[in-house]
Amino acid sequence: MTQRKILITSALPYANGPIHLGHMLEYIQTDIWSRFQKARGHQCYYVCADDAHGTPIMLKAQQLGITPEQMIAQTSQEHQADFAEFLIGFDNYHSTHSEENRQFASDIYTKLDKGGYIKRKTISQLFDPEKQMFLPDRFVKGDCPKCGALDQNGDSCDSCGATYSPTELKNPRSVVSGATPVLKDSEHYFFDLPAFEQMLKDWTRSGSLQDEMANKLQEWFTEGLQQWDISRDAPYFGFEIPGAPGKFFYVWLDAPIGYLASFKNYCDKTGVNFDQFWQKDSDAEIYHFIGKDIIYFHSLFWPAMLDGAGYRKPTSVYAHGFVTVNGAKMSKSRGTFIKARTYLEHLNPEYLRYYFASKLTSNITDLDLNLEDFAQKVNADLVGKVVNIASRCASFISKKFDGKLTADIAEPALLAEFTAAGETIAESFEKREFARAIREIMALADKANQYIDAKAPWVLAKNEATLTEAHLVCSMGINLFRVLMHYLKPVLPAMAKEVELFLNDELSWSTYQTALTNHSINVFKPLMQRVEMTKVEAMVEGSKENLQPTAAVAPKTAETKAAPAVDSAENAIEPIGETINIDDFAKLDLRVARIINAEHVEGADKLVKLQLDLGNEQRQVFAGIKSAYQPEQLIGRLTVMVANLAPRKMRFGMSEGMVMAAGPGGSDIFLLTPDDGATPGMRVK
């Protein structure tokens, strides 16, 4: 494989607020792709920076009583802490308020000016007479000039959807001071975007953009490209334009230049050759990952600026959609506008990395974070399928075989099927079809679990005559698990590190085709806990803002009793307790389960330990039915269980659900059994 030189960027987060889960989609997508490229052995760098200039930052710093420099320094620390805990592996994280960015912005502007691409003309703008500053669009409010709706923004109306100039607003007022703005003339500097029209038409149709992006950009060409205002008047937090006192670069001019600045900062620290990536004839690859709301800046203004200043253009610009939560726009009042820090206070970041990966494709459609689906998918796929393979096999290897894998592979053809999938999975990662890669990985995980189910090493290990076969089966299971973790490492880097410690092995894309034989492994430790909906609910509750006080209502959960629990100490018929409504009942996820093993519980009079097969995962449940059933009577039977009951720590171990039964007690306890046509995992309605 030829080693590629790759530079990857994510859009720069604005330095006047915290990171939220809508932002995290992009950084997780980019990080997975970056980690994949590095795992394949390429010379790959991932850089980013805070976007630290503009009027909003200047005004917010004034409100806080600190300098803009102090505010952006504090915000940078907070951003980087959030990114680090979400395992975003930047090679360098910088700021647009840096000397490197000042130099590049001045250099690009000067070259554009010398090339005749900077035009100067006088314009009229709204001016705040109290604050003595020109007002950007979003710092003016007034009545819509089209429909008359009150209190609309300076550039568009939320009521009728009209767009307009802030000078067209009726009854305008300054958001900054409340004063009535006045019109004032000022000379501004414009980038001559129309001069690059043919180049941009060719480039946008060259394959560098997704088709949806290229088609959308046609609207700009149809309407005719306009010169772009790149200057702002003092007071403004940013870089002063060379040779133009009191004039500053508009934040969107120096923001994408931050990609060059951050990479240059990295190159100066490490000795990497900057010019090999950014010079006109570079054979390196440069990829920008962005949200769909900033397509125009990255696909028209940015490549034109680079071309006019003598730099190479990006190889590709990849856009993604927005994040919705539970099918709707993120909402502070509903608690679904979730900050990265709030998420981290409640949940494992790799849950979100996996869920986003399982949904991400190469197109620009929005991605919905359905919180119930999120919990179920992580629990079913990662805990119930992938980790389950290792946990089922490792204990036998440690206890029965001194922690050593067999010298032979039990099923070479099955292992070959797993390794042969590597190239198609790699192709999916390369094309940013993460969801397709995850589907293929999980299909393999299903096959691994089916193999283990069919061989039943827990049965083989009980007999001396079949002990060797149990060793082969468990070693095979560990090798299948190892291949899957190679594929999942870009998505789950922290769990992959734990797996490497467990396996005494390094997971790299060059080693997944070789098996571990006659190899010692360490004692298995739990790799990932199940997602608890109580923690998800606590995260949502912690994200709610601006709610009116309401009477406190105790939340209903799947543990609310509507019938006697089968592991209750009471045998008598219970009185009917607190009533619930149909919505509460609908929260119960009742599933068909096959009892694949049942054992007495040492020291318990009524409990039986059940191993339940739900089709795509297995659960351990303790049920108080020993007075009615001997364990051996239960093996192979179908039953119904509450699958979304929060796990409960008992004296004898963890109970991961509840099987359904009824009866007066004693020997009269009857398991609820589905029809013979039912299959494990089927939902009971």
Side-chain angles (χ1 to χ4, degrees), residues 117-121 190-195 224-230 301:
Y117 302 121
I118 302 297
K119 309 298 181 183
R120 295 157 177 82
K121 55 187 173 182
F190 289 79
F191 173 52
D192 191 11
L193 187 65
L225 299 180
Q226 303 296 314
Q227 293 181 348
W228 178 40
D229 189 348
I230 63 165
F301 306 148

Side-chain angles (χ1 to χ4, degrees), residues 89 171 285 503:
N171 304 315
E285 303 166 44
L503 293 178

Side-chain angles (χ1 to χ4, degrees), residues 189-206:
Y189 294 63
F190 289 79
F191 173 52
D192 191 11
L193 187 65
F196 296 88
E197 181 171 353
Q198 190 56 53
M199 180 277 291
L200 289 170
K201 283 182 175 178
D202 295 340
W203 184 76
T204 55
R205 290 297 185 185
S206 68

Side-chain angles (χ1 to χ4, degrees), residues 307-573:
D307 191 66
Y311 291 90
R312 55 83 49 82
K313 295 182 288 294
T315 307
S316 290
V317 178
Y318 296 138
H320 59 80
F322 296 145
V323 172
T324 57
V325 179
N326 293 337
K329 185 178 179 180
M330 293 193 296
S331 163
K332 291 183 179 180
S333 63
R334 290 194 298 268
T336 56
F337 188 92
I338 302 166
K339 297 174 185 175
R341 180 52 46 185
T342 307
Y343 176 98
L344 291 166
E345 288 169 355
H346 297 278
L347 295 167
N348 181 339
E350 290 198 304
Y351 295 161
L352 190 68
R353 288 179 65 98
Y354 177 76
Y355 188 76
F356 278 167
S358 74
K359 299 281 186 178
L360 274 164
T361 67
S362 62
N363 61 34
I364 314 179
T365 54
D366 293 346
L367 186 152
D368 186 49
L369 171 58
N370 181 291
L371 294 174
E372 286 192 11
D373 180 58
F374 161 76
Q376 291 173 4
K377 191 170 193 65
V378 171
N379 290 342
D381 288 4
L382 296 184
V383 181
K385 293 183 182 180
V386 178
V387 173
N388 194 42
I389 300 167
S391 64
R392 298 169 82 186
C393 297
S395 60
F396 293 110
I397 299 291
S398 296
K399 294 175 183 177
K400 301 279 188 179
F401 309 110
D402 298 323
K404 200 163 190 177
L405 303 179
T406 55
D408 299 315
I409 295 298
E411 301 278 350
L414 180 59
L415 183 59
E417 182 182 350
F418 273 55
T419 57
E423 282 310 306
T424 57
I425 290 170
E427 182 182 3
S428 294
F429 274 122
E430 177 69 41
K431 293 180 177 178
R432 306 173 331 283
E433 296 289 351
F434 297 169
R436 187 169 67 199
I438 294 297
R439 285 196 300 272
E440 189 163 357
I441 293 167
M442 289 306 135
L444 292 174
D446 283 336
K447 289 186 177 181
N449 279 297
Q450 289 162 7
Y451 165 76
I452 295 166
D453 285 341
K455 296 296 183 180
W458 51 89
V459 176
L460 297 173
K462 292 179 180 179
N463 300 312
E464 194 67 33
T466 53
L467 202 55
T468 299
E469 187 180 355
H471 193 187
L472 283 164
V473 170
C474 291
S475 298
M476 179 71 185
I478 294 296
N479 269 289
L480 297 178
F481 167 75
R482 174 178 173 270
V483 175
L484 297 180
M485 284 308 304
H486 274 88
Y487 301 152
L488 286 170
K489 187 175 180 180
V491 181
L492 306 170
M495 190 168 116
K497 281 188 178 180
E498 295 299 314
V499 170
E500 288 174 336
L501 292 173
F502 160 57
L503 293 178
N504 281 326
D505 186 36
E506 182 180 352
L507 303 176
S508 69
W509 212 270
S510 61
T511 61
Y512 74 91
Q513 292 179 319
T514 60
L516 290 184
T517 54
N518 204 27
H519 177 87
S520 293
I521 62 173
N522 290 314
V523 174
F524 178 82
K525 297 178 182 178
L527 295 169
M528 184 167 285
Q529 301 299 318
R530 294 174 57 81
V531 181
E532 298 178 21
M533 280 306 294
T534 53
K535 291 186 177 181
V536 175
E537 290 158 4
M539 174 186 70
V540 171
E541 199 63 34
S543 300
K544 287 181 180 177
E545 296 180 18
N546 302 321
L547 290 180
Q548 296 298 318
T550 57
V553 179
K556 300 290 195 298
T557 70
E559 295 177 271
T560 302
K561 292 183 180 178
V566 296
D567 58 353
S568 168
E570 299 292 335
N571 289 327
I573 297 175

Side-chain angles (χ1 to χ4, degrees), residues 6 104 119 184 207 263 266 302 310 379 433 495 531 575 594:
I6 303 172
F104 278 117
K119 309 298 181 183
K184 189 174 180 179
F263 188 55
Y266 176 78
W302 177 232
N379 290 342
E433 296 289 351
M495 190 168 116
V531 181
R594 186 181 301 280

